[in-house]
Amino acid sequence: MKKTESFLTAPPQRAKYEALAGILKALAHPTRLFMVDQLARGGPRCVCELTEMVGADISTVSRHLALLKKEGLVAATKKGTMIYYQLRLPCVVNFLECLHSVLSSNIQDRLKLLS
Amino acid sequence: MKKTESFLTAPPQRAKYEALAGILKALAHPTRLFMVDQLARGGPRCVCELTEMVGADISTVSRHLALLKKEGLVAATKKGTMIYYQLRLPCVVNFLECLHSVLSSNIQDRLKLLS
DNA sequence: GACTTTTTTGGCTATTTGGCTAAATTTGCA
DNA sequence: TGCAAATTTAGCCAAATAGCCAAAAAAGTC
């Protein structure tokens, strides 16, 4: 008798969700999310500009950007010794809006609990 | 002389991105993403049903659900000894679609590199 | 080639996360 | 009350993540 197929034992389906989760993981960090948001609003920025905006060590910022790039969220372009990063897919912006709506809905619900 | 304000030194802005990243973090795990997707497609499910679908230990599934709930992505309803979880905000579905588009765009780009 | 600027990488430590087992809760029912 | 089923919580360990400093690469200029 065959045991019931589950998410964890179905490799192709599982691989799909692992890939999707990988993309989300790249976004799921305050600094990276901030940078993505900046790129969405202000267009391409070089590492040094982003470093200035973030206020962390440049090596840290570089690592964050490498991860975003690895997951296909940003693309890099060389200009002299500088490297400009830009957002790769526009839908990420709506994404952020939905996120905002989750957040404000959470806050509203918590407000309701008080009254 | 005032030093330039940065993301990391501007508490209110930073707190906002930390909150948003928290929501993303809750989604950024294969099992949790799978469960959210199941809830989006098939409506409310109890912990035991989700446990069956996922194929992990029920305590693990319970923890995942607790995190999703904490971040406001799902809501729980008691029915007898069972607890049904449901998706709280519809926009998360579009969210998943965008994610898919990032993924397929990544794959297409990798294909192009071969030709 | 030597020197400068920008970015990435290696190495290390501290923290967080994810999973399991086992124990505790909660709810329903005899 | 006492037992069974569903769910959550606690405790523990292994693996992944994030940060910094220092060193290496990459590109431009003299």
Side-chain angles (χ1 to χ4, degrees):
Chain A
M1 200 198 308
K2 194 172 141 193
K3 229 194 142 192
T4 312
E5 197 68 63
S6 77
F7 167 62
L8 290 176
T9 59
Q13 200 190 22
R14 183 178 176 178
K16 188 184 91 180
Y17 284 96
E18 277 172 359
L20 294 172
I23 298 170
L24 278 169
K25 231 180 251 187
L27 283 169
H29 185 284
T31 298
R32 293 195 292 266
L33 194 57
F34 170 78
M35 295 196 297
V36 165
D37 204 15
Q38 290 306 308
L39 296 178
R41 296 169 190 278
R45 301 266 188 214
C46 68
V47 181
C48 55
E49 285 173 322
L50 289 167
T51 300
E52 167 83 8
M53 290 189 240
V54 168
D57 194 280
I58 191 174
S59 70
T60 301
V61 171
S62 174
R63 281 216 146 92
H64 282 316
L65 287 168
L67 182 55
L68 289 172
K69 188 178 160 197
K70 182 188 157 224
E71 295 297 338
L73 290 160
V74 301
T77 315
K78 283 194 183 177
K79 285 206 180 141
T81 65
M82 295 199 279
I83 300 187
Y84 282 82
Y85 282 87
Q86 65 193 89
L87 206 54
R88 209 162 133 271
L89 291 175
C91 71
V92 174
V93 179
N94 317 357
F95 211 94
L96 294 177
E97 281 165 28
C98 168
L99 221 68
H100 251 103
S101 77
V102 174
L103 190 55
S104 59
S105 160
N106 287 354
I107 293 169
Q108 280 172 14
D109 279 22
R110 261 153 229 170
L111 253 179
K112 251 185 233 164
L113 288 182
L114 294 179
S115 59
Chain B
M1 198 198 309
K2 194 174 145 192
K3 229 194 142 191
T4 312
E5 196 68 63
S6 76
F7 167 63
L8 291 174
T9 59
Q13 201 190 20
R14 183 178 176 178
K16 188 184 91 182
Y17 284 96
E18 277 172 358
L20 293 172
I23 298 170
L24 278 170
K25 230 180 253 188
L27 284 170
H29 184 285
T31 298
R32 292 193 294 266
L33 194 58
F34 170 78
M35 293 195 298
V36 165
D37 204 15
Q38 290 305 309
L39 296 178
R41 295 169 190 279
R45 302 265 188 215
C46 68
V47 181
C48 54
E49 285 172 323
L50 289 167
T51 299
E52 168 84 8
M53 291 189 241
V54 168
D57 195 281
I58 192 173
S59 70
T60 302
V61 171
S62 175
R63 263 203 201 299
H64 282 317
L65 287 167
L67 182 55
L68 289 172
K69 187 178 162 198
K70 180 187 158 225
E71 295 298 337
L73 290 160
V74 301
T77 315
K78 284 193 183 177
K79 283 205 182 143
T81 65
M82 296 199 279
I83 300 185
Y84 283 82
Y85 281 88
Q86 59 189 291
L87 206 53
R88 209 161 134 270
L89 289 176
C91 71
V92 173
V93 179
N94 318 357
F95 212 92
L96 293 178
E97 281 165 28
C98 169
L99 220 63
H100 251 102
S101 77
V102 174
L103 190 54
S104 59
S105 161
N106 287 354
I107 292 169
Q108 281 171 14
D109 280 20
R110 259 154 230 170
L111 254 178
K112 253 185 233 164
L113 288 183
L114 294 180
S115 59

